[in-house]
Every structure is written in C-alpha cells, then in structure tokens.
Amino acid sequence: MKELKLMINYRKDGRLNSATISLNQAMINHLGNTSINFFYQNKEIILNGNNETETYEKVKNGKIIELKKNLKLQSNRKLAVPLGILDDLGVNLEKENKVQITFLDNHSLKLKLINLPIENLEKKENEKLGKIITIKVNKGGVGKTFITVQLGAYLALQNKKVLLLTSDSQNNIIDYCFGERIDFTGGLKEFVKSGTGDIIKLRKNLSFIPLESSTFGTQFLLKLPLFLENLKTSYDYILIDSIPTMKIDSVFVKSSDKIIIPTFCDRVTTEGVLNVVDETGVDKILAVMINKYEDKKIQNIYKKELTEAIENTDILFPNPIPNTSEIEVLLHKGKTIWESKSKKIEEIQSSFKEVGDYIIEEKTKKNEFDINF
C-alpha cells in the first residue's frame, strides 16, 4: 500500500478549482491505460484500466454518494478527483489530506482517504454539530448583508468554520468581501440539485455559496431543508442573509436555530422587528441590532420602544451601529470591519464581538440551542 497527497487547488478569487492525486509510474503500469474507469462508492474510489463505463451518479441529502465515469489521466500522471464527491468523501479543505492506494488484481487500484477513519465519518454524519442563524427583518435595505458578512468574519477569526448563504441572487456578499464581482458557474440551486457547485472562499475559515437566480421550484424548496441540515456536519455556523419576500425565506427561518434582526430606529422598521418577534417567537431571536444609528430625538424614541419590547427576555441588544462614512469606504474596498484600525470602527467591532461571543458561548454551554420548531 502507498500513501499519496490529495492536492486541493483554488482559483485566485478563492473558489475551489481542482482536487488531484499524482500517481506514480508503477500505478500507471498496473492500470495499463491512461483512460480509466472511475468508481466511487462507500467512501472508496476504484480505478480500473479496463473498458469504458457509462456515467452514473447517485445523490443523497445534497451529496454525491455514488459516481461512475470515465476519466483520462493528465499528461503529468495526475488524476483529477471529481469535486462533487469531496464532501461525502470527508475531505477537509483546511488541512492536508492523504489517500491510501491499494493494488488490486485485474488492473485496478483502490483509493481511500486516511486522514479521517470511516467510522468517524459515519459518526460525523449523524451528529448535528453546526448551527444555522438567519439574519432577517420584514423590510429591505436595513443592512442584513453587512451584518451577515461582519458577524461571519468575526466567527471565522475565532477559528470557527463559517459558511454564508443568501436568498438574494445579486450576491452582494461577494462585493462586500472583494469590492468587485466574481463569476461562478453553479451555486446553491445546483448544490441542492446535484451536490456540486462553487464555494467561494472569502477569508480564512469563511466561505460563501452564491445563488444563481431568485426563482425557486417546488423540488428545490423540498430538498433544501435536508441540504441545510447536512451542512451542519461540515460547518460550525451557517449564516443566512435572507430576503423576506422570497419563498425561500420561510424554509431558511424554519431550518434556523436562531434569528438575528437588524433594524433602523424608525416606525416602519421597528414594526417589522416586532412582527418578526411575533412570527418566530421570542425564544428563537438571538439578537436585535440597530444599524445606521444617529443620536437624534426620533431615533431615540424608537430605540426606547425596542428596548422596552425585548426587556426581560434573553434577546441580546448590543450598542447601535452608528451611521458613518467609514463603513461605506470599507465596503467599497471589499474590506471587513476587522481589517480596519480606525477608532470609530473599533466601537462598531465591539457590538459585533458581543453578538459573536454570545453565539459561541451559547453553543459551548448547551452544544445546541433549546428551540422547539
């Protein structure tokens, strides 16, 4: 038996590009052909140098669990491992992965990931490790995307593995993190359908699955809850930037462990906050975060109203995020608040830190939020 590295490569924009294994000459000779049959089943890969095979794929809970196809080895003896099976295989994108190669009779090789034993992979699938938190309010333009990105970036800095999702096909999360648009071929809808798609790496420990369009078929909405549940085995936190007018929003909210509500201090948004609290229940609300706050008479009236509405509850109510041009500058540059040393930004950081620490503390204390759906 031999051990080889599984090489994970990324594009310049952070998206996963390829996964390859460099076979040695003895393995090529054993296969007897550079055009090979690729079989994936039960977390094992079988390479066979015999006749071609029909392409076959089986998906469960958003993962490809079986795959058959014909592949041609690259000229440098590299085998390109289909990206769609990496999740089911148990590949850790943040660490080195090694593959155990076993020579079989009949011109075949067996490949098995050895950085995580099969029994641990099975245990991982049965455990609900991660938590889903949706950022929502029944009004647009309040700063849901901004809060999602900054909170996700903070959790990632605490060495938590974080995934961001959105119900907005404009995918402004990309702009907020890079300051420019990035093309992608497949996103959330493709992942739910076939288990493959683009995962954009925003920062260390922080990733994003974009959304292709804002039209959602019945099958997609039916399969989405299982896909979200499966994500909990791969990420510590899944943060969702949700648009309330979309059908997908109700699926996101139902699948969430907690809700964070962003708000302005005005009549319409305050009413929206109170509606979300009534719709989802006090126990499911983790925090209410005031955004673009200015210390003025009218805003203070609604700030007081919000304070009174959630007092005597466990809902977190951090200091308001002030309305400052420095945030606009950071967003324009594709920077997070954690990449600034400005004194004004440090005050804003403290509000997000309070919410982020509360999230981590709750998970550590209970290992799961005590929510009844």
Side-chain angles (χ1 to χ4, degrees), residues 1 4 18 22 80 88 118 124 140 142 156 162 184 186 198 216 272-273 277 280 282 340-341 349 355:
M1 291 186 291
L4 299 176
S18 65
S22 295
D88 186 62
I118 293 298
K124 183 180 178 184
V142 184
V162 184
F184 61 92
D198 288 339
F216 309 107
V273 171
V277 173
T280 61
V282 171
S340 171
K341 295 182 180 179
Q349 289 174 351
V355 177

Side-chain angles (χ1 to χ4, degrees), residues 5-72:
K5 286 184 180 180
L6 175 65
M7 303 300 296
I8 306 295
N9 302 299
Y10 296 91
R11 301 179 188 179
K12 289 183 179 180
D13 57 26
R15 285 180 291 166
L16 188 62
N17 184 44
S18 65
T20 59
I21 300 170
S22 295
L23 302 181
N24 61 34
Q25 191 59 51
M27 296 170 186
I28 303 294
N29 294 340
H30 184 73
L31 290 171
N33 201 338
T34 57
S35 182
I36 60 175
N37 295 329
F38 182 100
F39 300 92
Y40 175 71
Q41 187 177 36
N42 298 325
K43 298 181 172 44
E44 290 184 346
I45 297 169
I46 300 295
L47 305 180
N48 188 285
N50 294 326
N51 297 325
E52 293 186 1
T53 184
E54 290 186 20
T55 298
Y56 166 76
E57 181 181 295
K58 182 177 180 181
V59 178
K60 181 179 180 182
N61 296 344
K63 290 183 184 178
I64 295 179
I65 60 171
E66 292 183 20
L67 180 66
K68 296 181 181 180
K69 65 187 304 182
N70 186 258
L71 294 176
K72 188 173 181 62

Side-chain angles (χ1 to χ4, degrees), residues 39-46 60 63-67 85-91 99-100 110-114 116-125 230:
F39 300 92
Y40 175 71
Q41 187 177 36
N42 298 325
K43 298 181 172 44
E44 290 184 346
I45 297 169
I46 300 295
K60 181 179 180 182
K63 290 183 184 178
I64 295 179
I65 60 171
E66 292 183 20
L67 180 66
I85 70 170
L86 296 186
D87 189 22
D88 186 62
L89 192 58
V91 170
V99 175
Q100 184 183 76
K110 180 172 73 173
L111 287 64
K112 184 168 71 171
L113 198 71
I114 59 174
L116 195 60
I118 293 298
E119 58 268 21
N120 287 346
L121 283 169
E122 292 173 349
K123 180 181 179 182
K124 183 180 178 184
E125 289 180 350
N230 181 61

Side-chain angles (χ1 to χ4, degrees), residues 134-138 144 242 244 249 253 259-262 276 279:
T134 292
I135 291 79
K136 73 157 284 168
V137 69
N138 295 336
K144 294 185 293 293
S242 187
D249 178 67
V253 171
I259 304 294
I260 292 176
I261 308 176
V276 173
E279 290 169 6

